[in-house]
């Protein structure tokens, strides 16, 4: 790529890094490759990200944050019934993970390697998702739709109980016949439990 007159930003570097990872994979992608794709020196990349590990962690966090961002709109929809928001949130999480795995399998596989390397980014992502779930369940408690005595513990339980539908280690199962039906059955059971007391 030829040098451009655009200002080099962290976001541009992360976009280029994602493309380099897609082409070369995590084992072969280097900071020099990213710099070359941007038409800058590798020193320019290091001014934004001090190490290769920092760059890889930032690109992993960006990838995970996309999912969190998509889901946050459902959480914020206070005009909707909490049960509907919970069902929609879980369905959107499942759909987002399936889309990532199905539409760009090479990049998905690359990110599985990167998330294994970056426990901090993954831990923060899971905490964010559980916090979003807690807000929905707490709203349900406040409206009387849910009787959960501890919304935070209930959110963790819901997240763990639906792991088969969002944990990347189950990605191969997401397109199997019956996956949608299994998802619906699990969500129905969890909603019934929240109505009674979790």
């Amino acid at each position: 790529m030829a040098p451009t007159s655009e200002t080099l930003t962290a976001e541009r570097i992360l976009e280029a890094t994602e493309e380099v990872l897609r082409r070369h994979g995590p084992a072969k992608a280097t900071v020099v490759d990213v710099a070359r794709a941007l038409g800058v020196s590798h020193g320019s990349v290091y001014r934004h990200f001090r190490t290769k590990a920092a760059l890889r962690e930032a690109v992993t966090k960006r990838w995970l944050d996309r999912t969190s961002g998509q889901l946050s709109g459902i959480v914020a929809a206070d005009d909707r019934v909490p049960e509907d928001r919970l069902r929609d949130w879980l369905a959107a999480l499942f759909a987002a993970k399936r889309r990532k795995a199905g539409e760009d399998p090479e990049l998905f596989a690359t990110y599985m390697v990167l998330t294994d390397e970056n426990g901090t980014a993954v831990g923060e992502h899971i905490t964010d998702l559980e916090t979003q779930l807690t807000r929905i369940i707490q709203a349900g408690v406040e409206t009387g739709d849910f009787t959960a005595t501890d919304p935070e513990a209930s959110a963790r339980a819901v997240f763990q109980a639906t792991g088969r539908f969002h944990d990347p280690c189950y990605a191969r199962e997401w397109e199997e016949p019956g996956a949608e039906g299994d998802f619906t059955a699990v969500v129905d059971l969890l909603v019934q439990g929240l109505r009674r007391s979790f």
Side-chain angles (χ1 to χ4, degrees), residues 72-82 85 135:
S72 65
I74 297 169
V75 177
D78 293 334
D79 58 328
R80 298 188 57 228
V81 176
R85 285 162 51 202
R135 287 181 55 200

Side-chain angles (χ1 to χ4, degrees), residues 93-131:
L93 177 61
F94 186 27
K97 298 290 181 154
R98 285 172 85 176
R99 194 169 41 256
K100 285 181 178 184
E103 291 177 3
D104 201 344
E106 294 83 11
L107 193 59
F108 187 77
T110 293
Y111 276 107
M112 293 310 91
V113 172
L114 294 181
T115 54
D116 283 345
E117 292 175 4
N118 295 297
T120 303
V122 173
E124 290 171 358
H125 176 65
I126 290 170
T127 298
D128 182 42
L129 295 180
E130 289 177 351
T131 299

Side-chain angles (χ1 to χ4, degrees), residues 28-67:
K28 295 183 180 178
T30 67
V31 174
V32 172
D33 294 326
V34 173
R36 189 176 300 123
L38 290 163
V40 300
S41 71
H42 65 282
S44 297
V45 174
Y46 281 125
R47 282 193 215 37
H48 290 270
F49 300 97
R50 297 182 143 216
T51 64
K52 179 180 178 180
L55 177 58
R56 288 164 74 106
E57 183 166 357
V59 80
T60 302
K61 183 177 181 335
R62 178 180 183 261
W63 188 68
L64 295 171
D65 285 350
R66 283 186 196 136
T67 300

Side-chain angles (χ1 to χ4, degrees), residues 119 148 167:
D167 187 322

Side-chain angles (χ1 to χ4, degrees), residues 2-198:
T4 67
S5 60
E6 291 181 56
T7 303
L8 185 63
T9 63
E11 185 62 22
R12 281 190 61 220
I13 292 169
L14 293 174
E15 287 170 4
T17 301
E18 191 169 283
E19 194 53 44
V20 167
L21 286 166
R22 182 180 282 115
R23 274 184 296 184
H24 301 295
K28 295 183 180 178
T30 67
V31 174
V32 172
D33 294 326
V34 173
R36 189 176 300 123
L38 290 163
V40 300
S41 71
H42 65 282
S44 297
V45 174
Y46 281 125
R47 282 193 215 37
H48 290 270
F49 300 97
R50 297 182 143 216
T51 64
K52 179 180 178 180
L55 177 58
R56 288 164 74 106
E57 183 166 357
V59 80
T60 302
K61 183 177 181 335
R62 178 180 183 261
W63 188 68
L64 295 171
D65 285 350
R66 283 186 196 136
T67 300
S68 297
Q70 292 167 359
L71 298 171
S72 65
I74 297 169
V75 177
D78 293 334
D79 58 328
R80 298 188 57 228
V81 176
E83 180 181 325
D84 291 345
R85 285 162 51 202
L86 177 62
R87 288 178 182 279
D88 289 350
W89 190 94
L90 291 167
L93 177 61
F94 186 27
K97 298 290 181 154
R98 285 172 85 176
R99 194 169 41 256
K100 285 181 178 184
E103 291 177 3
D104 201 344
E106 294 83 11
L107 193 59
F108 187 77
T110 293
Y111 276 107
M112 293 310 91
V113 172
L114 294 181
T115 54
D116 283 345
E117 292 175 4
N118 295 297
T120 303
V122 173
E124 290 171 358
H125 176 65
I126 290 170
T127 298
D128 182 42
L129 295 180
E130 289 177 351
T131 299
Q132 290 187 20
L133 272 174
T134 300
R135 287 181 55 200
I136 294 171
I137 293 170
Q138 180 64 47
V141 169
E142 291 169 4
T143 61
D145 294 318
F146 299 147
T147 59
T149 55
D150 184 345
E152 190 174 339
S154 296
R156 279 194 308 276
V158 168
F159 189 75
Q160 291 168 4
T162 56
R164 178 179 168 217
F165 307 103
H166 56 77
D167 187 322
C169 72
Y170 294 102
R172 290 184 183 173
E173 298 178 16
W174 295 342
E175 297 304 324
E176 287 182 4
E180 287 285 342
D182 291 347
F183 171 77
T184 300
V186 168
V187 172
D188 286 346
L189 186 64
L190 291 169
V191 168
Q192 287 173 16
L194 285 167
R195 284 188 197 133
R196 293 185 184 137
S197 182
F198 215 85

